[in-house]
Amino acid sequence: MSKSSGEATASDTAQLTIDGKTFDLPIIEGTEGERGIDIRKLRSQTGVITLDAGFANTGACKSAITFIDGEKGILRYRGYPIEQLAQHSTFLEVSWLLLHGELPSKAELEEFTREVTLHTMLHEDYRRLFDFMPKSSHPMPVAAAAVAALSTFYPEPDTDDRIFRATVRLLAKMPTIAACAYKHSIGQPSMYPRNDLDYCSNFLQMMYAVPCEEYTPDPVVARALDQLLILHADHEQNCSTSTVRMVGSSHASLYATIASGISALWGPLHGGANQKVIEMLERIAVEEGSADEFLRKAKDKNETTRLMGFGHRVYKSYDPRAKILKQTCADVLSRVGGSSRLLEIAQRLEEIALSDDYFIERKLFPNVDFYSGVIYQAIGIPVNMFTVMFTMGRLPGWIAQWLEMRHDPDFRIGRPRQIYTGELMRDYVAADKR
Ligand code: SDX
């Protein structure tokens, strides 16, 4: 399904001298001029490995899906700037772009939309899965369990046709799964999807409609939601996507692989940050005037406090998604009339932080999570559902990256090495002699 636009080219060699012996290592260059030292033969040639905690300096793959320039705040999906896609495209169109490498024709998009629409319903036996989850469950482990359970209902996606069907199934059913998890947690009957509504309007009605009342989704809210999903659709080799590639590299089922991505995304340092941002803003709102105090703690090494929604492994300038969401915040709040109190606190925090040496020296700027929560809350999404919304958005990116990995001619199962720092060899001692 996917196709890569350009190839990395050998551009030069790096020289590494170890114990007086010099080794040439090829340097490869990507289509945007990024260069990497190809160390695939390093251990066999030199006997040594590299060490890079958190893989901050290590490329795991070559990819043609998403390009980020962290210094310039650039994000493009298949070459298209995120700003243009957020303004002119739709989530399903962007999903097709990520999966196939090109924007769909009108006919392709209509057919894809029809396929997704016709697969939004859940098997009645599958729907009962939610009945066994405690109502107090966080919806992220429910979503992870539900997606993994798709492997028990559908055939293994091990052929191109089955992979296409599984892709449509996942994109179609994720909103229904999310809404089911929410409805179950509040003791309301889950709503069936409606084929007369677009992707996001359908999600809103499954979330907020009740059988005893008419419900008409607000088109402005649906559009804001569609834009949020576009902004979250892919982000190259982040933690959850790297998890998907790692789990997928063992040829585990696509459903189990996506479930692993959901679990990784849940972490508060990653996709779970959007929930933590709102909790942080609400705490500051209650403890009047504590923005300065909060920032003092965020800078204090002895405190575990972090300014959630700030900082990024790649962006060392403003996250372009945060820039777009900051404007969307204002638009949505003016439309739905939600309280702008949290937005004002967020803007105040940003203003103070961006003029504070601690944040300036460390190049810490708002990331995608800093403003997204304010919008989710304004359109009525419960706080514990924020990361499920991130999951819905990131789903096409995970699948596209998984597909690219499976078609990669350099594909190998992921298996990093280590530097052992434990005990040297020692003999076992019986318990009565220890
Ligand atoms: C996402 O990778 C992706 O692409 C992720 C994502 C995606 O689309 O998939 O963009 C989505 O996960 C966005 C990030 C959401 N997480 C948060 O907002 C949580 C708060 N941010 C941080 O925890 C942190 O900035 C990370 C996790 C995002 C990045 O961590 P790094 O790259 O490992 O950086 P670091 O922890 O080494 O921080 C460098 C310095 C440290 O200080 P020093 O040790 O140098 O003195 O900056 C400090 C950190 O203490 N720092 C912060 C901070 N973030 C970093 N200090 C206070 N508040 C913060 N938010």
Side-chain angles (χ1 to χ4, degrees):
M1 281 165 85
S2 67
K3 92 180 174 193
S4 60
S5 49
E7 278 302 319
T9 52
S11 75
D12 202 339
T13 57
Q15 292 197 320
L16 180 65
T17 301
I18 301 177
D19 303 332
K21 199 171 173 212
T22 299
F23 302 88
D24 285 344
L25 296 169
I27 291 177
I28 63 167
E29 186 167 330
T31 44
E32 283 284 349
E34 293 166 303
R35 301 201 304 163
I37 301 172
D38 184 342
I39 56 169
R40 280 176 290 182
K41 294 190 169 58
L42 178 69
R43 188 169 180 275
S44 59
Q45 283 179 341
T46 68
V48 303
I49 62 168
T50 58
L51 190 61
D52 184 20
F55 309 114
N57 305 285
T58 299
C61 61
K62 291 177 280 186
S63 178
I65 298 173
T66 292
F67 172 68
I68 301 174
D69 181 322
E71 305 308 323
K72 297 177 187 158
I74 290 173
L75 169 59
R76 300 188 199 122
Y77 296 160
R78 299 287 190 178
Y80 293 97
I82 191 66
E83 295 80 2
Q84 294 180 26
L85 293 171
Q87 186 178 354
H88 302 300
S89 188
T90 64
F91 176 62
L92 285 184
E93 183 176 74
V94 164
S95 297
W96 177 281
L97 171 65
L98 291 170
L99 290 163
H100 294 267
E102 299 294 342
L103 287 168
S105 66
K106 189 167 180 296
E108 285 171 330
L109 183 57
E110 283 170 0
E111 177 55 20
F112 184 56
T113 303
R114 195 183 71 83
E115 282 283 341
V116 170
T117 302
L118 294 179
H119 288 83
T120 49
M121 213 152 58
L122 303 180
H123 187 293
E124 284 302 308
D125 292 346
Y126 176 88
R127 181 187 284 275
R128 274 193 276 283
L129 185 82
F130 298 92
D131 297 342
F132 302 110
M133 299 286 179
K135 291 202 180 323
S136 58
S137 310
H138 191 289
M140 281 297 274
V142 174
V147 167
L150 288 171
S151 306
T152 65
F153 277 80
Y154 298 103
E156 181 59 26
D158 51 8
T159 63
D160 284 350
D161 179 61
R162 281 182 171 180
I163 286 172
F164 173 75
R165 302 210 164 283
T167 299
V168 167
R169 200 171 279 130
L170 279 161
L171 290 170
K173 295 183 189 313
M174 197 69 238
T176 317
I177 288 169
C180 267
Y182 170 62
K183 285 290 200 183
H184 174 66
S185 73
I186 59 173
Q188 282 189 8
S190 51
M191 299 300 290
Y192 283 87
R194 281 176 43 188
N195 292 354
D196 62 316
L197 295 176
D198 64 55
Y199 194 82
C200 288
S201 301
N202 197 12
F203 172 69
L204 291 171
Q205 77 87 16
M206 290 190 285
M207 283 285 288
Y208 301 126
V210 287
C212 42
E213 274 179 20
E214 280 299 308
Y215 174 82
T216 307
D218 181 333
V220 171
V221 170
R223 176 58 193 151
L225 193 48
D226 198 77
Q227 189 184 63
L228 276 157
L229 297 181
I230 290 172
L231 293 171
H232 286 81
D234 192 57
H235 213 241
E236 53 131 291
Q237 307 312 315
N238 58 83
C239 176
S240 53
T241 298
S242 299
T243 302
V244 163
R245 279 181 172 260
M246 177 62 87
V247 171
S249 75
S250 73
H251 280 186
S253 152
L254 174 59
Y255 301 121
T257 299
I258 296 300
S260 70
I262 296 173
S263 300
L265 188 70
W266 188 19
L269 293 186
H270 188 17
N274 53 21
Q275 176 175 343
K276 297 298 178 191
V277 168
I278 285 296
E279 291 167 0
M280 169 183 78
L281 296 176
E282 287 178 335
R283 199 162 59 245
I284 293 172
V286 169
E287 299 154 13
E288 188 55 40
S290 62
D292 294 276
E293 170 57 14
F294 188 90
L295 286 173
R296 185 196 63 74
K297 282 184 180 173
K299 298 186 289 184
D300 183 344
K301 285 283 160 251
N302 301 317
E303 296 275 352
T304 54
T305 305
R306 283 209 153 178
L307 180 55
M308 300 311 278
F310 250 71
H312 200 278
R313 173 63 56 77
V314 175
Y315 290 121
K316 299 310 171 191
S317 61
Y318 217 103
D319 182 332
R321 301 167 297 178
K323 205 174 286 183
I324 296 167
L325 287 173
K326 189 175 178 181
Q327 181 50 48
T328 305
C329 260
D331 299 345
V332 170
L333 284 170
S334 65
R335 164 74 187 213
V336 299
S339 157
S340 58
R341 178 82 177 99
L342 296 187
L343 177 58
E344 287 157 9
I345 293 172
Q347 289 169 331
R348 173 78 180 123
L349 277 175
E350 175 185 339
E351 183 192 341
I352 302 170
L354 294 189
S355 57
D356 182 297
D357 288 345
Y358 174 92
F359 293 91
I360 293 169
E361 284 159 14
R362 292 166 178 79
K363 297 184 179 179
L364 303 176
F365 292 83
N367 60 49
V368 66
D369 293 308
F370 194 62
Y371 287 106
S372 57
V374 179
I375 302 172
Y376 286 137
Q377 190 165 63
I379 62 179
I381 304 285
V383 175
N384 70 352
M385 284 286 290
F386 286 9
T387 313
V388 176
M389 302 310 295
F390 198 146
T391 299
M392 277 169 55
R394 187 51 52 90
L395 186 56
W398 285 334
I399 300 171
Q401 298 272 353
W402 175 84
L403 276 170
E404 186 177 64
M405 176 197 67
R406 284 177 71 97
H407 295 140
D408 186 339
D410 295 335
F411 167 78
R412 298 184 72 186
I413 185 172
R415 206 280 184 212
R417 308 303 293 250
Q418 64 167 24
I419 297 293
Y420 176 69
T421 57
E423 296 287 341
L424 298 178
M425 205 284 282
R426 52 184 173 166
D427 293 325
Y428 178 80
V429 176
D432 57 4
K433 293 190 170 48
R434 284 173 210 157

